[in-house]
């Protein structure tokens, strides 16, 4: 009986370890059909663009690196950088004013944002371009007395100055809301922790709040910078030779409108692509620095609490 019992093996033991079942991939005919459709459309689009003589690709190649186009590109890049830097700096100031408990600062910031966000950028550029119609001369002095300094407005508000003022002041209104949203996104506990370490309000804002708020501020700021690059094309109304206006001057002479517009578009695409890559690495950097900053503040708070506890125990 025992031999028979020992001679019989359970089905599970005889079968050995269970083999994992192979995972069957789902068949997705709709996905492959979409691949095929997109591929066919891409080939047709490329074939149409490459073979249509009306695009004027030889003219595009001829003027792509011409001195006038490159000069317009440099002017566009310079205008973008200067307007963005001024817009960001002024936007930070306006955001701090907007979060202030001072009613005058809060109201002034809100009025500024309301006005510059409520009127089109194109209209603002036109106003700066024709500011001499409102103020023929610029004077500095005490009202009711002879001005200390007086000059013709057009000699000060040149096309480049009008372009910078129009773009930067408009950008500041949007940056103020972006920075404000970033500051508000930081936990109040971080502010309390910094104050517990003895940091002043401004130092807390500079060393703790803004570095952590950058994670929220950087993505929309980078998008605004890309948008600023393209918005500079509106400056052509002020006869400033940025990229678009440079190409307009050329096709006004040779009547090759479409090829030169394509030339400008390709340069815009190249620069925006590079800016997008820079945005990716900048976001990754601030995501890392935000975690490090938050951990360092918490560590310093814990150390301070331990020291206070040790001092209290020693005093007892």
């Amino acid at each position: 009986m025992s031999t028979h019992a020992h001679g019989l093996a359970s089905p599970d033991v005889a079968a050995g370890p269970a083999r994992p079942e192979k995972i069957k991939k789902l068949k997705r005919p709709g996905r492959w059909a979409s691949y095929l459709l997109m591929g066919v459309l891409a080939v047709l689009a490329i074939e149409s663009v490459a073979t249509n003589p009306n695009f004027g690709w030889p003219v595009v190649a001829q003027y792509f690196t011409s001195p006038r186009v490159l000069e317009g590109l440099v002017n566009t890049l310079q205008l973008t950088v200067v307007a963005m830097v001024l817009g960001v700096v002024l936007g930070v100031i306006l955001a701090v004013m907007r979060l202030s408990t001072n009613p005058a600062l809060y109201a002034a910031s809100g009025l500024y944002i309301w006005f510059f966000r409520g009127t089109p950028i194109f209209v603002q550029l036109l106003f700066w371009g024709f500011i001499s119609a409102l103020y023929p001369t610029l004077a500095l002095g005490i009202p009711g007395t002879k001005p200390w300094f007086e000059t013709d407005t057009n000699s000060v508000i040149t096309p480049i100055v009008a372009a910078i003022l129009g773009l930067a002041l408009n950008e500041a209104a949007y940056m103020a809301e972006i920075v404000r949203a970033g500051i508000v996104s930081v936990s109040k506990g971080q502010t309390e922790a910094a104050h517990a370490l003895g940091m002043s309000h401004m130092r807390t804002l500079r060393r703790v709040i803004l570095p952590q708020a950058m994670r929220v501020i950087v993505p929309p700021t980078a998008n605004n910078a890309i948008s600023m690059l393209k918005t500079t094309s509106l400056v052509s109304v002020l006869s400033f030779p940025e990229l678009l206006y440079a190409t307009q001057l050329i096709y006004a002479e040779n009547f090759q409108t479409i090829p030169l517009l394509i030339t400008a578009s390709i340069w815009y695409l190249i620069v925006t692509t590079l800016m997008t890559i820079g945005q990716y690495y900048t976001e990754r950097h601030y995501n890392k620095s935000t975690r490090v900053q938050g951990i360092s503040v918490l560590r310093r708070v814990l150390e301070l609490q331990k020291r206070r506890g040790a001092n209290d125990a020693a005093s007892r």
Side-chain angles (χ1 to χ4, degrees):
M1 183 71 180
S2 61
T3 304
H4 178 70
H6 286 292
L8 293 176
S10 64
D12 294 338
V13 175
R19 297 180 180 179
E21 295 183 2
K22 293 183 178 179
I23 299 176
K24 295 181 180 180
K25 295 183 178 180
L26 296 177
K27 296 181 179 180
R28 296 185 173 92
R31 177 178 295 183
W32 289 105
S34 65
Y35 290 160
L36 179 61
L37 177 61
M38 293 298 103
V40 171
L41 292 177
V43 171
L44 291 176
I46 294 173
E47 189 272 339
S48 174
V49 172
T51 58
N52 189 342
N54 294 325
F55 280 92
W57 293 113
V59 179
V60 173
Q62 177 184 354
Y63 287 97
F64 189 72
T65 56
S66 68
R68 296 171 69 180
V69 172
L70 293 180
E71 182 181 358
L73 175 64
V74 171
N75 290 336
T76 293
L77 295 176
Q78 291 176 344
L79 185 59
T80 301
V81 172
V82 173
M84 275 304 301
V85 170
L86 293 177
V88 169
V89 172
L90 184 56
V92 172
I93 296 173
L94 289 169
V96 174
M97 292 171 59
R98 190 69 173 162
L99 295 172
S100 174
T101 56
N102 187 326
L105 297 179
Y106 176 85
S109 176
L111 183 63
Y112 180 99
I113 295 171
W114 166 79
F115 178 79
F116 282 96
R117 287 203 309 173
T119 55
I121 177 62
F122 188 73
V123 175
Q124 295 173 29
L125 288 171
L126 288 174
F127 264 108
W128 284 112
F130 297 101
I131 191 68
S132 60
L134 295 174
Y135 300 98
T137 60
L138 295 178
L140 180 63
I142 300 175
T145 63
K146 185 178 180 180
W148 304 332
F149 172 79
E150 188 173 3
T151 184
D152 180 54
T153 301
N154 287 327
S155 64
V156 177
I157 310 297
T158 60
I160 178 61
V161 173
I164 292 174
L165 288 173
L167 295 175
L169 295 179
N170 180 267
E171 181 63 27
Y174 292 93
M175 283 304 307
E177 291 298 285
I178 292 173
V179 174
R180 184 182 65 84
I183 293 175
V184 172
S185 69
V186 180
S187 172
K188 291 184 178 180
Q190 297 291 328
T191 304
E192 296 172 356
H195 289 167
L197 295 173
M199 291 185 179
S200 64
H201 180 73
M202 290 304 299
R203 190 179 181 188
T204 300
L205 181 66
R206 187 178 70 255
R207 299 290 299 275
V208 178
I209 303 301
L210 283 180
Q212 297 187 69
M214 292 301 289
R215 180 175 54 87
V216 177
I217 295 173
V218 167
T221 302
N223 289 334
N224 278 19
I226 295 174
S227 178
M228 175 68 74
L229 175 75
K230 296 177 291 185
T231 305
T232 56
S233 61
L234 298 178
V235 177
S236 60
V237 72
L238 302 177
S239 300
F240 178 70
E242 44 75 47
L243 179 58
L244 179 61
Y245 190 63
T247 57
Q248 288 177 331
L249 292 176
I250 297 174
Y251 71 64
E253 298 173 358
N254 60 15
F255 305 104
Q256 297 291 336
T257 304
I258 297 300
L260 283 161
L261 290 177
I262 292 174
T263 301
S265 299
I266 293 175
W267 274 120
Y268 282 123
L269 286 172
I270 291 174
V271 177
T272 52
T273 300
L274 295 176
M275 294 175 69
T276 303
I277 295 173
Q279 173 186 357
Y280 168 77
Y281 285 104
T282 304
E283 289 180 17
R284 190 170 69 172
H285 167 74
Y286 278 107
N287 284 336
K288 292 180 181 179
S289 64
T290 297
R291 290 192 292 268
V292 173
Q293 182 75 20
I295 292 172
S296 64
V297 171
L298 291 176
R299 284 178 177 175
R300 293 175 66 183
V301 171
L302 291 175
E303 291 176 0
L304 182 62
Q305 290 177 346
K306 288 181 180 179
R307 291 177 184 176
R308 289 179 176 176
N311 294 335
D312 293 340
S315 62
R316 293 175 184 174

